[in-house]
Amino acid sequence: MYSRLPVATSPFALLLLFVLHGTQVRAQHVQGGRRKTDSLPVYRYAPPTDSIIEIRLVNLALQGPQYEALGHKVAINEAQLSQARRAWFNLLTISLNYNDQTFAKPIPGAAYVYPKYFFGLVIPIGMFFTMGPQIHAASENVKVARNNQEDLARNLRMEVLSKYRTYKNYESLILLQNTVVNDQVAALTQTEKKFRDGIVSIEQYNLANKSVSDEKAKLFNLQLSLDLERLDIERIIGTSLDSVTR
Protein backbone atom coordinates (compact mmCIF):
# COMPACT_ATOMS: atom_id res chain seq x y z
CA MET A 1 0.00 0.00 0.00
CA TYR A 2 1.03 3.49 -0.67
CA SER A 3 1.53 5.66 2.38
CA ARG A 4 -0.35 8.95 2.43
CA LEU A 5 1.23 12.23 3.52
CA PRO A 6 -0.58 14.21 6.20
CA VAL A 7 -2.83 16.96 4.87
CA ALA A 8 -0.79 19.62 6.58
CA THR A 9 2.40 18.54 4.82
CA SER A 10 0.92 18.10 1.35
CA PRO A 11 2.05 20.80 -1.12
CA PHE A 12 -1.46 21.08 -2.51
CA ALA A 13 -2.86 21.46 0.99
CA LEU A 14 -0.37 24.18 1.83
CA LEU A 15 -1.34 26.10 -1.29
CA LEU A 16 -5.01 25.70 -0.43
CA LEU A 17 -4.45 26.98 3.09
CA PHE A 18 -2.59 30.02 1.73
CA VAL A 19 -5.44 30.90 -0.64
CA LEU A 20 -8.05 30.48 2.10
CA HIS A 21 -6.05 32.64 4.47
CA GLY A 22 -5.76 35.41 1.87
CA THR A 23 -9.50 35.26 1.25
CA GLN A 24 -10.17 35.52 4.98
CA VAL A 25 -7.87 38.53 5.31
CA ARG A 26 -9.57 40.31 2.41
CA ALA A 27 -12.96 39.53 3.90
CA GLN A 28 -11.98 41.29 7.13
CA HIS A 29 -11.62 44.58 5.20
CA VAL A 30 -15.14 44.36 3.87
CA GLN A 31 -17.74 46.24 5.92
CA GLY A 32 -21.35 46.31 4.89
CA GLY A 33 -20.62 44.83 1.49
CA ARG A 34 -17.99 47.49 0.70
CA ARG A 35 -14.26 47.57 1.21
CA LYS A 36 -12.66 50.22 3.32
CA THR A 37 -10.69 51.43 0.33
CA ASP A 38 -13.93 51.87 -1.63
CA SER A 39 -15.01 54.66 0.75
CA LEU A 40 -11.87 56.69 0.18
CA PRO A 41 -12.40 59.67 -2.17
CA VAL A 42 -10.51 59.56 -5.43
CA TYR A 43 -9.62 62.97 -6.86
CA ARG A 44 -8.96 63.22 -10.54
CA TYR A 45 -8.51 66.34 -12.63
CA ALA A 46 -11.45 66.80 -14.97
CA PRO A 47 -10.96 69.38 -17.72
CA PRO A 48 -13.82 71.86 -18.11
CA THR A 49 -16.51 70.93 -20.57
CA ASP A 50 -17.34 73.04 -23.59
CA SER A 51 -20.45 74.41 -21.87
CA ILE A 52 -18.41 75.65 -18.90
CA ILE A 53 -15.83 77.19 -21.24
CA GLU A 54 -18.56 78.96 -23.19
CA ILE A 55 -20.02 80.42 -19.99
CA ARG A 56 -16.57 81.72 -19.05
CA LEU A 57 -16.10 83.24 -22.49
CA VAL A 58 -19.45 85.05 -22.38
CA ASN A 59 -18.76 86.40 -18.88
CA LEU A 60 -15.36 87.73 -19.97
CA ALA A 61 -16.84 89.27 -23.12
CA LEU A 62 -19.39 91.15 -21.00
CA GLN A 63 -16.55 92.64 -18.95
CA GLY A 64 -14.96 94.28 -21.97
CA PRO A 65 -14.60 98.03 -22.54
CA GLN A 66 -17.30 98.14 -25.23
CA TYR A 67 -19.98 96.74 -22.94
CA GLU A 68 -18.71 98.81 -20.01
CA ALA A 69 -18.94 101.99 -22.11
CA LEU A 70 -22.64 101.39 -22.70
CA GLY A 71 -23.05 100.81 -18.98
CA HIS A 72 -21.61 104.28 -18.38
CA LYS A 73 -24.01 105.64 -21.02
CA VAL A 74 -26.93 104.16 -19.09
CA ALA A 75 -25.66 105.78 -15.89
CA ILE A 76 -25.36 109.16 -17.66
CA ASN A 77 -28.92 108.97 -18.97
CA GLU A 78 -30.24 107.98 -15.55
CA ALA A 79 -28.47 111.01 -14.04
CA GLN A 80 -30.01 113.24 -16.72
CA LEU A 81 -33.43 111.81 -15.88
CA SER A 82 -32.94 112.64 -12.21
CA GLN A 83 -31.79 116.13 -13.17
CA ALA A 84 -34.89 116.66 -15.33
CA ARG A 85 -37.16 115.58 -12.49
CA ARG A 86 -35.54 118.14 -10.16
CA ALA A 87 -35.19 120.94 -12.69
CA TRP A 88 -38.48 122.53 -11.74
CA PHE A 89 -36.88 123.73 -8.51
CA ASN A 90 -34.76 126.10 -10.63
CA LEU A 91 -37.93 127.79 -11.88
CA LEU A 92 -39.27 128.68 -8.45
CA THR A 93 -38.62 132.13 -7.04
CA ILE A 94 -39.00 132.85 -3.34
CA SER A 95 -38.97 136.46 -2.08
CA LEU A 96 -38.83 137.79 1.45
CA ASN A 97 -39.47 141.40 2.50
CA TYR A 98 -38.93 142.74 5.98
CA ASN A 99 -40.94 145.71 7.30
CA ASP A 100 -38.35 147.71 9.23
CA GLN A 101 -40.73 149.67 11.45
CA THR A 102 -40.39 150.05 15.15
CA PHE A 103 -43.47 149.47 17.24
CA ALA A 104 -41.83 150.03 20.59
CA LYS A 105 -42.44 153.85 20.52
CA PRO A 106 -45.53 154.67 18.47
CA ILE A 107 -45.28 157.83 16.43
CA PRO A 108 -48.44 159.92 16.35
CA GLY A 109 -50.01 160.03 12.94
CA ALA A 110 -47.68 157.41 11.49
CA ALA A 111 -49.19 154.60 9.40
CA TYR A 112 -48.04 151.16 10.30
CA VAL A 113 -47.86 148.33 7.83
CA TYR A 114 -48.85 144.88 8.87
CA PRO A 115 -47.55 142.18 8.80
CA LYS A 116 -43.93 142.82 9.50
CA TYR A 117 -42.65 140.04 7.14
CA PHE A 118 -43.65 139.39 3.52
CA PHE A 119 -43.08 136.08 1.74
CA GLY A 120 -43.56 135.48 -1.97
CA LEU A 121 -43.47 132.36 -4.21
CA VAL A 122 -43.47 132.69 -7.99
CA ILE A 123 -44.35 129.60 -10.06
CA PRO A 124 -44.11 129.99 -13.83
CA ILE A 125 -47.21 128.60 -15.48
CA GLY A 126 -45.22 127.31 -18.45
CA MET A 127 -43.37 124.77 -16.33
CA PHE A 128 -46.49 122.65 -16.16
CA PHE A 129 -46.42 122.32 -19.96
CA THR A 130 -42.64 121.88 -20.49
CA MET A 131 -41.38 119.76 -17.60
CA GLY A 132 -43.53 116.75 -18.43
CA PRO A 133 -42.17 116.26 -21.98
CA GLN A 134 -38.59 116.84 -20.80
CA ILE A 135 -38.89 114.19 -18.10
CA HIS A 136 -40.51 111.82 -20.56
CA ALA A 137 -37.70 112.35 -23.10
CA ALA A 138 -35.06 111.72 -20.44
CA SER A 139 -36.87 108.54 -19.38
CA GLU A 140 -36.98 107.33 -22.99
CA ASN A 141 -33.24 107.97 -23.34
CA VAL A 142 -32.64 105.68 -20.37
CA LYS A 143 -34.71 102.96 -22.00
CA VAL A 144 -32.84 103.37 -25.29
CA ALA A 145 -29.48 103.12 -23.54
CA ARG A 146 -30.53 99.98 -21.69
CA ASN A 147 -31.82 98.41 -24.89
CA ASN A 148 -28.53 99.20 -26.63
CA GLN A 149 -26.63 97.57 -23.81
CA GLU A 150 -28.81 94.47 -23.97
CA ASP A 151 -28.44 94.31 -27.75
CA LEU A 152 -24.66 94.54 -27.41
CA ALA A 153 -24.68 91.75 -24.80
CA ARG A 154 -26.55 89.47 -27.20
CA ASN A 155 -24.21 90.31 -30.07
CA LEU A 156 -21.12 89.71 -27.94
CA ARG A 157 -22.48 86.39 -26.77
CA MET A 158 -23.23 85.25 -30.31
CA GLU A 159 -19.86 86.49 -31.60
CA VAL A 160 -17.68 84.87 -28.96
CA LEU A 161 -19.56 81.56 -29.03
CA SER A 162 -19.56 81.34 -32.82
CA LYS A 163 -15.84 82.07 -32.92
CA TYR A 164 -15.10 79.50 -30.23
CA ARG A 165 -17.07 76.82 -32.09
CA THR A 166 -15.29 77.76 -35.30
CA TYR A 167 -12.04 77.43 -33.38
CA LYS A 168 -13.01 73.94 -32.19
CA ASN A 169 -13.97 73.00 -35.74
CA TYR A 170 -10.53 74.04 -37.00
CA GLU A 171 -8.95 71.89 -34.29
CA SER A 172 -10.87 68.85 -35.55
CA LEU A 173 -10.02 69.61 -39.17
CA ILE A 174 -6.33 69.90 -38.27
CA LEU A 175 -6.39 66.45 -36.66
CA LEU A 176 -7.94 64.98 -39.80
CA GLN A 177 -5.54 66.83 -42.05
CA ASN A 178 -2.58 65.58 -40.03
CA THR A 179 -3.74 62.05 -40.75
CA VAL A 180 -4.00 62.83 -44.47
CA VAL A 181 -0.50 64.34 -44.51
CA ASN A 182 0.96 61.32 -42.71
CA ASP A 183 -0.68 58.98 -45.23
CA GLN A 184 0.64 61.02 -48.12
CA VAL A 185 4.14 61.06 -46.65
CA ALA A 186 4.03 57.27 -46.20
CA ALA A 187 2.87 56.90 -49.81
CA LEU A 188 5.65 59.20 -50.98
CA THR A 189 8.21 57.09 -49.11
CA GLN A 190 7.02 54.00 -50.93
CA THR A 191 7.02 55.84 -54.26
CA GLU A 192 10.60 56.98 -53.68
CA LYS A 193 11.69 53.40 -53.07
CA LYS A 194 9.90 52.23 -56.17
CA PHE A 195 11.40 55.10 -58.14
CA ARG A 196 14.90 54.11 -57.02
CA ASP A 197 14.13 50.54 -58.02
CA GLY A 198 12.90 51.72 -61.41
CA ILE A 199 9.34 50.52 -60.86
CA VAL A 200 7.64 53.93 -61.17
CA SER A 201 8.37 56.83 -63.49
CA ILE A 202 9.55 60.30 -62.61
CA GLU A 203 6.08 61.64 -63.36
CA GLN A 204 4.53 59.36 -60.73
CA TYR A 205 7.17 60.38 -58.23
CA ASN A 206 6.56 64.08 -58.90
CA LEU A 207 2.81 63.56 -58.58
CA ALA A 208 3.22 61.90 -55.17
CA ASN A 209 5.55 64.68 -54.05
CA LYS A 210 3.05 67.31 -55.18
CA SER A 211 0.26 65.57 -53.26
CA VAL A 212 2.31 65.81 -50.08
CA SER A 213 3.00 69.51 -50.69
CA ASP A 214 -0.68 70.23 -51.36
CA GLU A 215 -1.85 68.48 -48.21
CA LYS A 216 0.77 70.26 -46.12
CA ALA A 217 -0.36 73.58 -47.56
CA LYS A 218 -3.94 72.77 -46.50
CA LEU A 219 -2.64 71.96 -43.03
CA PHE A 220 -0.76 75.26 -42.81
CA ASN A 221 -3.86 77.20 -43.90
CA LEU A 222 -5.98 75.44 -41.30
CA GLN A 223 -3.41 76.24 -38.63
CA LEU A 224 -3.39 79.88 -39.70
CA SER A 225 -7.19 80.05 -39.51
CA LEU A 226 -7.06 78.45 -36.08
CA ASP A 227 -4.53 81.02 -34.85
CA LEU A 228 -6.57 83.92 -36.22
CA GLU A 229 -9.71 82.66 -34.50
CA ARG A 230 -7.77 82.36 -31.27
CA LEU A 231 -6.52 85.94 -31.56
CA ASP A 232 -10.01 87.22 -32.29
CA ILE A 233 -11.44 85.39 -29.27
CA GLU A 234 -8.69 86.78 -27.06
CA ARG A 235 -9.45 90.28 -28.39
CA ILE A 236 -13.05 89.91 -27.21
CA ILE A 237 -12.38 88.33 -23.81
CA GLY A 238 -9.25 90.37 -23.03
CA THR A 239 -7.15 87.41 -21.89
CA SER A 240 -5.53 84.27 -23.26
CA LEU A 241 -7.76 81.44 -24.37
CA ASP A 242 -5.59 78.91 -22.52
CA SER A 243 -6.47 80.52 -19.19
CA VAL A 244 -10.15 79.89 -19.93
CA THR A 245 -9.90 76.34 -21.22
CA ARG A 246 -7.69 75.03 -18.39
Side-chain angles (χ1 to χ4, degrees):
M1 295 180 61
Y2 294 98
S3 61
R4 285 187 171 182
L5 292 173
V7 176
T9 60
S10 173
F12 176 76
L14 292 175
L15 178 62
L16 180 61
L17 288 175
F18 178 77
V19 173
L20 292 176
H21 177 71
T23 304
Q24 183 179 5
V25 170
R26 287 194 299 269
Q28 292 176 356
H29 292 282
V30 179
Q31 295 181 353
R34 295 184 60 188
R35 296 182 179 181
K36 289 183 178 180
T37 55
D38 293 341
S39 61
L40 296 178
V42 178
Y43 297 100
R44 296 186 179 90
Y45 171 73
T49 60
D50 284 342
S51 59
I52 295 177
I53 293 174
E54 290 178 354
I55 292 174
R56 293 177 182 176
L57 291 174
V58 172
N59 290 336
L60 288 173
L62 295 182
Q63 296 174 11
Q66 188 178 5
Y67 186 79
E68 187 177 357
L70 282 186
H72 293 314
K73 180 64 176 176
V74 171
I76 291 173
N77 289 330
E78 289 177 346
Q80 291 176 348
L81 175 60
S82 299
Q83 182 180 6
R85 287 172 175 171
R86 294 190 298 265
W88 63 275
F89 285 105
N90 297 329
L91 302 177
L92 299 180
T93 302
I94 299 177
S95 60
L96 172 63
N97 292 326
Y98 173 67
N99 183 14
D100 190 14
Q101 292 182 354
T102 301
F103 298 94
K105 296 180 179 180
I107 301 175
Y112 295 96
V113 179
Y114 296 96
K116 191 174 183 180
Y117 299 95
F118 296 92
F119 296 93
L121 179 63
V122 179
I123 303 177
I125 301 298
M127 65 174 293
F128 295 104
F129 302 96
T130 60
M131 293 306 299
Q134 291 179 4
I135 295 175
H136 179 71
S139 177
E140 292 299 316
N141 286 334
V142 172
K143 295 178 182 178
V144 170
R146 289 176 178 172
N147 289 337
N148 290 337
Q149 190 180 30
E150 175 64 23
D151 184 62
L152 178 62
R154 296 180 182 183
N155 290 334
L156 287 174
R157 181 181 183 278
M158 181 192 68
E159 184 180 8
V160 72
L161 292 183
S162 61
K163 288 186 177 297
Y164 176 69
R165 292 176 185 179
T166 303
Y167 175 84
K168 296 292 292 183
N169 184 61
Y170 279 129
E171 279 188 334
S172 301
L173 291 176
I174 286 175
L175 292 177
L176 294 175
Q177 189 62 27
N178 271 321
T179 303
V180 174
V181 170
N182 292 334
D183 292 340
Q184 292 294 328
V185 170
L188 177 61
T189 302
Q190 294 179 357
T191 304
E192 287 178 347
K193 184 178 181 304
K194 292 179 180 179
F195 176 71
R196 288 193 301 267
D197 295 339
I199 301 176
V200 299
S201 62
I202 185 64
E203 289 79 9
Q204 292 175 315
Y205 171 75
N206 290 336
L207 182 61
N209 197 13
K210 182 178 182 303
S211 297
V212 173
S213 300
D214 292 342
E215 297 303 329
K216 284 185 176 180
K218 293 179 183 178
L219 179 61
F220 294 153
N221 287 330
L222 288 174
Q223 186 63 51
L224 175 62
S225 299
L226 178 73
D227 293 339
L228 292 178
E229 287 296 328
R230 170 190 286 272
L231 291 175
D232 215 8
I233 292 174
E234 292 176 349
R235 173 187 62 83
I236 298 174
I237 64 177
T239 186
S240 65
L241 184 59
D242 292 335
S243 63
V244 180
T245 55
R246 284 200 297 264

